[in-house]
Amino acid sequence: MPTTVVPTGTSEEGKVSGKGSGSELGGSADGIFARPIALLWSVAMIVSASIGCMEYKLWASLMSRSSGVNHTLMNLSVMSSLAMLTLKVYMESLRPSRFKDKLVYENAKQQTHTAIALILFSSVTFNAALWPKYGFVQTCLIAAMVGYGILWNFFMLVPWTSVQNFVGIVGCMFFLQSYYGMGVGGVGVGV
């Protein structure tokens, strides 16, 4: 008897079954909430990475204009992160309504390559900025805590792109105001 191969995510009738649809990674609004272990894992990672960053006094080193941190490279990292956030908002919110097409690689090759380059540049400059103060091992650990522990798990915890974009914009504005000396409620330091 011949066997039929059914692609992942479809049933024999051709209906989508939900398996392999991306919802296991928080791709739909109910994806992560359908899996409480994944929800708890993301929250635990965000909390532990935040505590780790506090142990290294990362925020204090950046905001106090510590002599060990290369602030020129940190400025480049902040600039490329803002460019990446702007590209993310454009690709997820503005482009689909303007061009009426689906966000796939074939439709946005140039923007995808630009995003990859911005992520790489931001990561390299962030690591290079912290290297003089923290050294190789601690810089890699801090980068992993910020990149995977906080950012990646936040994106897995909050699957709605409009919420991600709003939190990203508010977070960047708070960081910029604090970093460049225009802090909210006295948080920032003078230039």
Side-chain angles (χ1 to χ4, degrees):
M1 177 174 211
T3 59
T4 56
V5 178
V6 178
T8 304
T10 61
S11 65
E12 290 185 22
E13 296 84 31
K15 296 180 182 176
V16 174
S17 67
K19 291 183 181 177
S21 64
S23 63
E24 64 273 1
L25 294 177
S28 68
D30 62 343
I32 189 115
F33 299 111
R35 297 182 49 208
I37 300 299
L39 175 71
L40 291 174
W41 175 260
S42 291
V43 170
M45 288 302 295
I46 291 170
V47 169
S48 60
S50 298
I51 291 171
C53 287
M54 285 189 285
E55 286 296 316
Y56 281 114
K57 296 179 174 63
L58 179 63
W59 185 258
S61 295
L62 294 176
M63 294 303 125
S64 68
R65 301 288 182 163
S66 171
S67 61
V69 175
N70 186 333
H71 291 284
T72 302
L73 289 173
M74 184 56 74
N75 288 337
L76 290 173
S77 180
V78 169
M79 180 258 328
S80 58
S81 297
L82 283 173
M84 179 60 212
L85 180 62
T86 304
L87 183 63
K88 179 183 183 306
V89 170
Y90 169 74
M91 293 301 296
E92 293 175 346
S93 301
L94 303 175
R95 189 175 195 276
S97 63
R98 183 175 177 202
F99 292 110
K100 306 290 186 222
D101 63 353
K102 200 170 189 181
L103 182 58
V104 293
Y105 175 72
E106 294 301 321
N107 296 340
K109 286 183 181 180
Q110 185 176 5
Q111 291 88 351
T112 302
H113 297 158
T114 303
I116 291 170
L118 285 170
I119 290 170
L120 179 64
F121 183 75
S122 179
S123 299
V124 168
T125 54
F126 182 73
N127 284 312
L130 297 180
W131 195 309
K133 181 170 178 71
Y134 293 105
F136 175 73
V137 174
Q138 290 179 342
T139 297
C140 291
L141 183 62
I142 290 170
M145 286 189 293
V146 172
Y148 174 76
I150 297 173
L151 293 176
W152 178 262
N153 281 292
F154 172 75
F155 289 132
M156 294 297 106
L157 184 65
V158 181
W160 307 282
T161 57
S162 57
V163 175
Q164 292 174 358
N165 294 338
F166 178 77
V167 170
I169 290 168
V170 169
C172 281
M173 291 304 113
F174 176 77
F175 178 77
L176 286 174
Q177 287 179 347
S178 299
Y179 187 68
Y180 291 110
M182 300 172 281
V184 179
V187 174
V189 294
V191 178

